[in-house]
Amino acid sequence: AQSVTQLDSQVPVFEEAPVELRCNYSSSVSVYLFWYVQYPNQGLQLLLKYLSGSTLVKGINGFEAEFNKSQTSFHLRKPSVHISDTAEYFCAVSDLSGGSNYKLTFGKGTLLTVNP
Amino acid sequence: DGGITQSPKYLFRKEGQNVTLSCEQNLNHDAMYWYRQDPGQGLRLIYYSQIVNDFQKGDIAEGYSVSREKKESFPLTVTSAQKNPTAFYLCASSPSGGNQPQHFGDGTRLSIL
């Protein structure tokens, strides 16, 4: 079975500082990986996805993530954060073991708080 | 604009009462999903449907029921058998295929009176 671990439940940073949100996954087969962002009392919005090809994936709002197969990681980064980036971030994995009935497994989330 | 509409945004349930949460999508997606979100728990899958008139249990299906009579609609009923229903419920949809990202509605917050 697949699983996702987000190593930090909360990450406080100052505005314009760089940030990295860590995500590790476990799966016995090839995976697809996603990062989502959730603002208070809203649904989830896709930030970026890794399907295949280049291991460095660029997403919306200046975020990027790097897929590392040997370390089974998919960490999210942004070189300079803004107050508006304050939100909860979820890493998710989808693997091919379920055949046609695939499922997304989500991590428990990382609350990013950007302080002025 | 295409999207997913969940209603109502806030819902209150009395003890022993069934309630139904609505989810409608106009994205022409084949697959639809229901998740439950609790603080610090991430999202947990309740039910999902890959095609009309077919659905499967997720990880926490007990106390919930669904139907998929139309492609665009996937209502969730929280029954009285669900002993701890207070949570934020999210509906999602996607095209078929494991590499397709899911699109989410804005959620329904259910509380017990």
Side-chain angles (χ1 to χ4, degrees):
Chain A
Q2 61 196 24
S3 67
V4 179
T5 301
Q6 291 186 241
L7 295 149
D8 305 293
S9 60
Q10 297 185 53
V11 173
V13 296
F14 288 108
E15 193 173 17
E16 298 184 4
V19 70
E20 178 180 80
L21 306 184
R22 298 180 292 168
C23 172
N24 286 90
Y25 68 92
S26 67
S27 175
S28 58
V29 298
S30 297
V31 297
Y32 301 125
L33 293 157
F34 306 85
W35 273 101
Y36 287 85
V37 60
Q38 185 181 33
Y39 299 101
N41 294 313
Q42 293 186 21
L44 275 66
Q45 178 183 355
L46 181 70
L47 271 179
L48 48 78
K49 60 186 177 184
Y50 172 78
L51 305 180
S52 65
S54 173
T55 58
L56 183 62
V57 179
K58 294 190 182 298
I60 63 171
N61 301 340
F63 284 92
E64 63 181 31
E66 186 159 17
F67 171 59
N68 187 318
K69 188 175 182 178
S70 63
Q71 297 186 5
T72 60
S73 68
F74 190 53
H75 300 333
L76 181 71
R77 302 185 183 102
K78 186 169 182 178
S80 175
V81 294
H82 303 288
I83 298 285
S84 59
D85 291 322
T86 295
E88 190 151 26
Y89 292 80
F90 292 94
C91 180
V93 60
S94 169
D95 72 22
L96 305 178
S97 61
S100 61
N101 288 336
Y102 85 99
K103 294 188 297 181
L104 269 184
T105 299
F106 286 85
K108 293 187 176 182
T110 297
L111 179 62
L112 173 64
T113 302
V114 181
N115 299 300
Chain B
D1 289 338
I4 300 177
T5 301
Q6 289 188 242
S7 62
K9 191 168 182 65
Y10 299 95
L11 187 58
F12 300 91
R13 194 190 91 170
K14 295 180 181 178
E15 295 285 347
Q17 187 180 48
N18 293 354
V19 291
T20 298
L21 284 60
S22 171
C23 178
E24 303 277 332
Q25 55 102 355
N26 60 4
L27 299 167
N28 199 33
H29 288 168
D30 289 317
M32 296 188 74
Y33 313 83
W34 274 105
Y35 293 93
R36 171 180 170 138
Q37 185 176 19
D38 297 282
Q41 295 294 317
L43 277 70
R44 292 182 290 169
L45 183 65
I46 305 173
Y47 269 98
Y48 63 106
S49 169
Q50 298 283 328
I51 196 169
V52 174
N53 292 322
D54 187 45
F55 48 84
Q56 288 78 41
K57 292 182 179 180
D59 301 317
I60 55 165
E62 186 175 352
Y64 300 97
S65 66
V66 294
S67 63
R68 186 86 186 277
E69 298 177 0
K70 298 186 296 183
K71 186 175 184 178
E72 59 269 24
S73 179
F74 191 41
L76 172 75
T77 295
V78 184
T79 75
S80 57
Q82 172 50 243
K83 298 306 179 187
N84 185 23
T86 297
F88 191 51
Y89 291 87
L90 286 162
C91 179
S93 71
S94 73
S96 295
N99 62 348
Q100 299 294 329
Q102 295 180 13
H103 299 251
F104 285 80
D106 280 340
T108 292
R109 189 167 299 279
L110 176 62
S111 301
I112 298 301
L113 287 177

